[in-house]
Amino acid sequence: MAELLRASRLTLAYDGAEVVRDLELAVPRGRITAVVGANGSGKSTLLRALARLLRPRAGAVLLDGEALDRLATKEVAKRLGILPQSPIAPDGIVVEDLVARGRYPHQRLFRQWSARDEAAIEGALAATATADLRDRALDELSGGQRQRSWIAMTLAQETEVLLLDEPTTFLDLAHQVEVLDLLAELVEGHGRTVVMVLHDLNQACRYADHLVALRAGQVHAAGAPAEIIDAELVEEVFGIAARVIDDPVTGTPLCLPLGGRHRPAVETSRPLAGATR
Ligand code: ADP
């Protein structure tokens, strides 16, 4: 698979603390890459570096072979769209204005607004089912409606690459599936490249062509979900015992965590008198 983005010997740090160390990563063009890992493993930090929101302490992020920090800001904004985990909007902004902000990188001095901008905004509102909310203030919406509005803003940018940090947060199950299906459609039907941090390993296995499992700021494993996900990896990356079976719907790996109550019994203990199950 041809790669579009690459992290090469990437080290990322906040002040003194290194969070990502010497990381190597390739993002295939025209595919969905999902980044998974335990809390604090460096997923958001990595995504921010891929979007050039965080400057590497060492190493580089390459877009089509060119170091991101050599590209003009507008060029980066036109090619990479990011939805961070907790985006901040101006107070009182309404949905349509938020989505329209996605078009800023496309504006030029003497060509302020075009039919193409209009179409991109309408398309993004329609795709995320937020057209009915266009006049509503963002801060008066439910968490799910707000999240869909942010996704619309990201889509309106019409960038080749979409970087999304937990895009399904705050969404109920139906909207989660809708958003993931929409991203899959953008990849399959429109040749976009998606990189997303996902909390839910099983959704990641269903939707990702390429899965990257982070552990303590390094790539523990990367590849097609079926190639890399097994009980051993789940234990190493998430620190939990699990069974991994084939998802009966998609055939992709399905991880079933074994909590204390569900660990296979090593010995059968006599039930307590009067205990009910
Ligand atoms: P994940 O997304 O996998 O949960 P993060 O990339 O958010 O992990 O965080 C990785 C580590 O970096 C954590 O230890 C976190 O506390 C630290 N970290 C994240 N953001 C900042 C920040 N702005 N300043 C200082 N440390 C941070």
Side-chain angles (χ1 to χ4, degrees):
M1 284 187 281
E3 69 184 49
L4 180 56
L5 266 176
R6 162 168 288 273
S8 168
R9 308 210 59 182
L10 190 65
T11 296
L12 305 170
Y14 297 103
D15 301 322
E18 280 187 4
V19 170
V20 164
R21 245 160 270 106
D22 226 12
L23 176 140
E24 294 287 330
L25 173 88
V27 171
R29 183 190 301 273
R31 298 276 191 278
I32 294 183
T33 296
V35 181
V36 298
N39 288 340
S41 57
K43 303 181 296 294
S44 297
T45 303
L46 172 62
L47 203 74
R48 284 160 42 78
L50 294 180
R52 209 178 73 170
L53 295 180
L54 187 66
R55 183 178 268 272
R57 161 86 38 108
V61 175
L62 309 174
L63 176 61
D64 261 335
E66 262 195 281
L68 271 192
D69 55 13
R70 298 245 182 103
L71 296 173
T73 301
K74 206 152 183 176
E75 171 79 7
V76 173
K78 271 190 188 174
R79 298 188 66 188
L80 303 175
I82 183 166
L83 177 59
Q85 199 165 37
S86 312
I88 296 163
D91 276 347
I93 193 168
V94 299
V95 170
E96 185 169 2
D97 291 344
L98 177 75
V99 178
R101 286 186 172 230
R103 299 305 297 167
Y104 283 9
H106 297 270
Q107 314 280 304
R108 288 189 221 108
L109 200 53
F110 297 109
R111 190 200 59 79
Q112 297 274 316
W113 206 249
S114 71
R116 169 124 192 238
D117 294 322
E118 211 58 59
I121 294 166
E122 290 308 317
L125 289 167
T128 51
T130 48
D132 290 349
L133 306 173
R134 66 169 76 227
D135 297 323
R136 301 269 304 274
L138 192 71
D139 45 24
E140 287 166 10
L141 301 180
S142 74
Q145 291 170 329
R146 208 175 305 143
Q147 183 70 353
R148 283 188 286 131
S149 306
W150 278 109
I151 292 171
M153 193 278 274
T154 314
L155 294 183
Q157 297 172 40
E158 295 190 317
T159 51
E160 181 181 358
V161 186
L162 289 161
L163 303 159
L164 307 126
D165 199 345
E166 296 191 13
T168 55
T169 311
F170 303 120
L171 301 183
D172 59 38
L173 201 51
H175 284 118
Q176 286 178 30
V177 171
E178 215 170 276
V179 163
L180 292 169
D181 282 347
L182 168 65
L183 295 173
E185 159 64 16
L186 289 171
V187 167
E188 281 156 28
H190 302 272
R192 310 280 191 93
T193 298
V194 166
V195 183
M196 57 183 166
V197 172
L198 280 185
H199 226 60
D200 185 325
L201 179 61
N202 293 330
Q203 279 185 345
C205 288
R206 277 189 170 190
Y207 283 89
D209 304 294
H210 189 65
L211 199 63
V212 177
L214 283 194
R215 181 180 159 196
Q218 298 203 305
V219 174
H220 185 73
E227 279 167 19
I228 65 165
I229 296 297
D230 58 18
E232 198 182 334
L233 179 135
V234 174
E235 170 100 52
E236 288 164 354
V237 168
F238 294 97
I240 185 165
R243 251 179 82 186
V244 175
I245 61 171
D246 288 345
D247 186 321
V249 176
T250 53
T252 51
L254 180 68
C255 172
L256 306 168
L258 303 175
R261 297 176 63 192
H262 306 109
R263 259 182 246 285
V266 230
E267 60 190 84
T268 320
S269 54
R270 241 184 37 209
L272 294 174
T276 52
R277 285 169 54 91

